Amino acid sequence: MNIGNVLQAQGDYENALVHFQKALEINLQCLSPHHASVATTEMNIGNVLSAQGDYQNALVHLQRALEINIQCLGTSHASVASTKNNIGQVLRKQGRLSEAKKMYQQAEDIWKRSVGESHQSFALALGNIAKIHLLQGRLLEARELLGRAKSIFHGAVGPEHEYTKWASAKLATIVI
């Protein structure tokens, strides 16, 4: 899987997908189909397919990852939140904003309970919910969430981190 992750980070989605699919094949041969490693590989495949614009198939793999993660880790594990967040990303890209917001809010709730409100993952959920508000023209709500996310990112990863800079830049674009 590590090769697939490197290829994905480089934008080489075709080869990343080949490596992730091979990893899935091996995982299914060696492990239970309900193993957490299978869920991780399914999520990686879903993320690559999303990056390629194949949202329908991305959702299939992400839903499988979610089912396995819930089965293996329970409903309140941070990996479940990550999977719900990724599903939210795909739904947002499809324009299914209310469904995406629901997934982001579920991820926010899980991260709040599992890693706390000062963690960058919690701030990520706030930022994603803010994206939905921006798309819906709900600027006050977006500004409030982005302000909270920026503050958390600043404390968790520092002022020079890409997440902190992203939240700052988004905040600067909101004119009320």
Side-chain angles (χ1 to χ4, degrees), residues 12 16 18 20 22 31 35 43-44 61 70 96 117 142 149 151 154:
D12 186 355
V18 168
F20 288 139
K22 183 65 177 170
L31 305 168
H35 192 278
M43 189 158 68
N44 288 335
H61 287 277
I70 289 172
R96 297 163 62 183
E117 292 183 55
S151 176
H154 189 276

Side-chain angles (χ1 to χ4, degrees), residues 115-173:
V115 298
E117 292 183 55
S118 61
H119 194 275
Q120 68 188 41
S121 293
F122 178 76
L124 183 66
L126 295 178
N128 285 333
I129 296 167
K131 286 180 191 176
I132 299 295
H133 288 310
L134 286 171
L135 291 168
Q136 295 173 330
R138 299 172 64 185
L139 302 181
L140 289 173
E141 292 96 333
R143 185 173 68 180
E144 177 189 336
L145 290 173
L146 284 169
R148 287 179 60 201
K150 177 186 170 189
S151 176
I152 295 166
F153 285 141
H154 189 276
V157 295
E160 297 304 315
H161 192 276
E162 65 181 301
Y163 290 169
T164 309
K165 290 180 178 182
W166 170 84
S168 295
K170 280 290 184 194
L171 271 170
T173 66

Side-chain angles (χ1 to χ4, degrees), residues 72-131:
C72 291
L73 306 169
T75 57
S76 60
H77 193 276
S79 291
V80 172
S82 294
T83 309
K84 287 180 178 260
N85 182 72
N86 291 350
I87 291 170
Q89 298 284 49
V90 174
L91 294 169
R92 180 182 51 80
K93 290 175 184 176
Q94 289 181 313
R96 297 163 62 183
L97 301 182
S98 63
E99 294 171 79
K101 183 178 177 184
K102 181 179 175 185
M103 283 292 165
Y104 291 149
Q105 288 171 326
Q106 290 173 9
E108 173 196 17
D109 182 57
I110 294 168
W111 277 325
K112 181 178 182 177
R113 290 183 280 120
S114 64
V115 298
E117 292 183 55
S118 61
H119 194 275
Q120 68 188 41
S121 293
F122 178 76
L124 183 66
L126 295 178
N128 285 333
I129 296 167
K131 286 180 191 176

